[in-house]
Amino acid sequence: QTQWLTGRVVLGSDVFLDVMDRKFQEEVTGAHVGENIYFRVVDKSKHITPEKDEITIEVKTSSGKTKPVKMLETFGDTGVFKGYLTLAHAEDRINPDDPVVLPVQYGETVTLSYRSQPEGQPVTRTVLVYKGADGNVLPFTKRFKEPEIAVQTQFTIAESWFELAKKHRELGEESLARREIGQGKKVLEEVLRDYPDTKARAQADYLLANLALEFANMAVDADVKRKHYMEAIGRFTDIVASFAESPYAPKSQFKKALTFEKMGEIDQACEEYVKLSYRYPDNELVAETIARLGQYFFTKAKLINEKIAAEKDKIAQEKLKLEAQNMFTTAAEVFGRLAVRFPSHALAAKTTVLSAQCYMRAENNQKAVQVFRIVTEDVNADKEARAEAMYWCGDAYMKLGAATGKGAPATGDPLVEAYRMFKRLTWDFPETKWAKFARGRLTEPALATVAKGDEK
């Protein structure tokens, strides 16, 4: 008889616990009273739901105080959890129920402990509380009653430096503009140093990241340019990780992708654009992301098309042609999503026209006609976009007529439809260049014949 041997296995994963600086780049072994300690747990087994999961670590001081600290998953599907604590002196007046404040004494040790499984061994890390304070001596300074007033004042000073730099760049004084940008950057860095817990921290980090990007755009040397690009990427990444709920997070994700695009790393840029659409699907920047992704696939399709002429093997040519058509179709589908999701966006009509043009390049003229007509019938669309759509719609009808002689029953004779579309363009938008092109097309023999029949 069959005898089953059974066993029980507990699913787990490698667990990492780190105490790090604010940017989560370097490990920290000590901190001063008044500073924050940041910690990170990597435990893939605790990613349980599609949403952000939560874990708890135990924090204990050498004087005997304990505190459970909850940590939230950075993003769904990561299994990475982050949190922080503020070290406050035990004799200060603090709220004992504050979840992110830990009362400590000078010189004691703080132990952080995390246990992934109830029966497993905990992972621990220790942080020494330094004796004394981390003090700075300033020759003079300005005192404000409210820290936020001080922060906003410094922001205004920094923005003034940037405006000066902008004007001097327009005048061609690049050297002076660089010095002024550097001065503005110094002011922002001083704000972050003097007011580390300010509510405007994300804004300051975002401005610094943009400055790094600006320095990269101004740099001539390739190595210097890349250095500043990488600094900008690092800062934008920190904002997304540390201030995920801030309005600067989607902006930073977009700028991160844009920086990769400027560096020529198009595939990586495409991946970052997709992350923006996934993490912040309703953000207005998603519209521009869709447009850039469409342009990415459109460019790849054109590159494949260029290889066809150089290829001598007929079979290889057909393979490349099919690959290009598929890529053009992908670009058309991506461009087409913008108007569906953001119908009132300024790029909606333009990307719809681009979508139809990509269908034409994929030799799907019937679909191209359908998409072009969406724009031609939209009275609220941009005049230039409607005129362009009418012209290319007529051109698509001409290609249908040349290929089949007749279109689908719903459209009638393609040549008649082409004639009517070109004619309508000359009536509705006579001052545009597209109307000029249409007048030339109307003189073609095939359409001249249609014109006589249409007049009858």
Side-chain angles (χ1 to χ4, degrees):
Q1 296 181 356
T2 300
Q3 299 292 328
W4 288 98
L5 299 177
T6 62
R8 183 173 179 271
V9 177
V10 177
L11 181 63
S13 67
D14 290 333
V15 177
F16 302 92
L17 169 61
D18 301 295
V19 182
M20 311 186 77
D21 62 1
R22 190 187 69 83
K23 294 184 178 181
F24 291 92
Q25 292 181 347
E26 296 181 3
E27 290 192 15
V28 172
T29 57
H32 290 90
V33 172
E35 293 181 340
N36 292 340
I37 57 171
Y38 300 85
F39 33 87
R40 176 183 65 190
V41 170
V42 181
D43 187 355
K44 301 295 185 180
S45 67
K46 295 303 180 184
H47 166 57
I48 301 171
T49 68
E51 307 300 325
K52 294 182 180 180
D53 295 297
E54 188 178 80
I55 63 172
T56 302
I57 67 171
E58 292 293 331
V59 180
K60 185 177 181 179
T61 65
S62 53
S63 60
K65 296 183 178 65
T66 61
K67 189 181 191 73
V69 179
K70 293 183 179 180
M71 301 173 64
L72 194 65
E73 195 172 10
T74 53
F75 296 103
D77 305 327
T78 62
V80 179
F81 303 81
K82 292 182 178 180
Y84 76 96
L85 278 175
T86 300
L87 302 181
H89 197 272
E91 296 180 5
D92 291 342
R93 292 182 179 180
I94 59 175
N95 181 4
D97 297 325
D98 193 323
V100 296
V101 176
L102 179 68
V104 295
Q105 298 284 354
Y106 291 123
E108 71 175 331
T109 301
V110 178
T111 302
L112 297 89
S113 177
Y114 172 68
R115 194 188 301 269
S116 179
Q117 302 294 338
E119 64 277 11
Q121 291 294 322
V123 181
T124 61
R125 292 289 182 271
T126 58
V127 179
L128 175 66
V129 180
Y130 296 131
K131 296 179 180 180
D134 183 15
N136 291 319
V137 178
L138 301 176
F140 60 89
T141 185
K142 173 67 177 175
R143 306 287 294 187
F144 294 89
K145 289 184 177 181
E146 298 292 335
E148 292 303 319
I149 296 177
V151 171
Q152 289 302 322
T153 301
Q154 295 292 77
F155 271 28
T156 303
I157 293 172
E159 289 171 353
S160 299
W161 281 114
F162 300 150
E163 284 299 317
L164 279 173
K166 181 179 177 182
K167 296 298 182 183
H168 285 126
R169 284 190 69 184
E170 291 174 358
L171 295 172
E173 300 181 17
E174 291 290 339
S175 179
L176 181 57
R178 284 193 183 92
R179 290 199 299 272
E180 289 166 342
I181 290 175
Q183 190 64 37
K185 182 180 179 182
K186 180 182 177 182
V187 172
L188 286 176
E189 289 172 341
E190 288 175 350
V191 171
L192 296 180
R193 182 198 66 197
D194 298 338
Y195 304 96
D197 299 324
T198 177
K199 295 178 181 178
R201 175 115 205 175
Q203 181 184 358
D205 284 343
Y206 182 73
L207 287 173
L208 286 171
N210 272 323
L211 280 179
L213 183 58
E214 184 71 14
F215 276 129
N217 293 335
M218 294 170 62
V220 178
D221 184 79
D223 292 336
V224 175
K225 185 182 286 286
R226 181 172 180 81
K227 175 186 174 183
H228 287 304
Y229 276 141
M230 295 309 297
E231 180 188 349
I233 289 171
R235 289 186 180 274
F236 286 132
T237 302
D238 289 342
I239 295 169
V240 175
S242 303
F243 307 98
E245 305 303 323
S246 164
Y248 291 98
K251 293 180 182 179
S252 298
Q253 182 63 47
F254 177 79
K255 283 293 186 72
K256 180 181 178 181
L258 184 63
T259 305
F260 275 119
E261 187 176 331
K262 287 178 176 291
M263 293 174 67
E265 298 182 17
I266 305 300
D267 290 338
Q268 184 65 41
C270 182
E271 184 178 329
E272 297 300 329
Y273 283 131
V274 171
K275 287 180 182 178
L276 174 65
S277 302
Y278 173 72
R279 293 171 178 170
Y280 311 100
D282 299 323
N283 191 276
E284 60 183 7
L285 289 171
V286 173
E288 191 167 343
T289 295
I290 293 173
R292 288 185 173 276
L293 285 172
Q295 191 64 40
Y296 166 76
F297 290 113
F298 179 66
T299 302
K300 289 193 72 172
K302 288 200 300 182
L303 290 175
I304 297 171
N305 241 5
E306 292 172 1
K307 295 178 182 178
I308 296 176
E311 183 59 57
K312 297 181 179 180
D313 184 74
K314 296 296 183 181
I315 297 176
Q317 280 186 349
E318 288 300 316
K319 287 182 178 179
L320 287 172
K321 182 179 179 182
L322 182 60
E323 186 180 352
Q325 288 176 348
N326 290 336
M327 194 62 70
F328 277 124
T329 301
T330 301
E333 292 170 351
V334 173
F335 277 131
R337 291 172 190 162
L338 193 149
V340 175
R341 294 183 61 181
F342 304 94
S344 60
H345 196 275
L347 293 174
K350 181 64 177 176
T351 50
T352 305
V353 173
L354 287 170
S355 174
Q357 289 174 337
C358 287
Y359 280 121
M360 285 184 69
R361 294 237 185 178
E363 299 184 7
N364 188 350
N365 291 299
Q366 192 65 52
K367 180 66 176 179
V369 165
Q370 295 173 8
V371 178
F372 277 130
R373 292 191 74 95
I374 293 174
V375 181
T376 62
E377 304 304 326
D378 185 1
V379 295
N380 297 317
D382 176 71
K383 180 179 73 173
E384 184 68 18
R386 287 186 70 194
E388 184 178 1
M390 284 182 181
Y391 177 81
W392 289 111
C393 187
D395 188 66
Y397 274 127
M398 291 287 287
K399 286 181 168 59
L400 281 173
T404 63
K406 292 287 182 179
T411 61
D413 188 334
L415 292 178
V416 173
E417 295 295 334
Y419 169 78
R420 291 174 179 172
M421 189 60 70
F422 286 139
K423 200 70 175 176
R424 178 184 166 190
L425 172 55
T426 62
W427 290 338
D428 292 354
F429 307 104
E431 73 283 5
T432 64
K433 66 177 182 179
W434 303 106
K436 177 182 177 181
F437 297 156
R439 294 186 191 101
R441 298 296 297 271
L442 287 168
T443 62
E444 295 179 11
L447 293 184
T449 304
V450 172
K452 294 179 181 178
D454 198 55
E455 289 172 0
K456 292 180 180 179

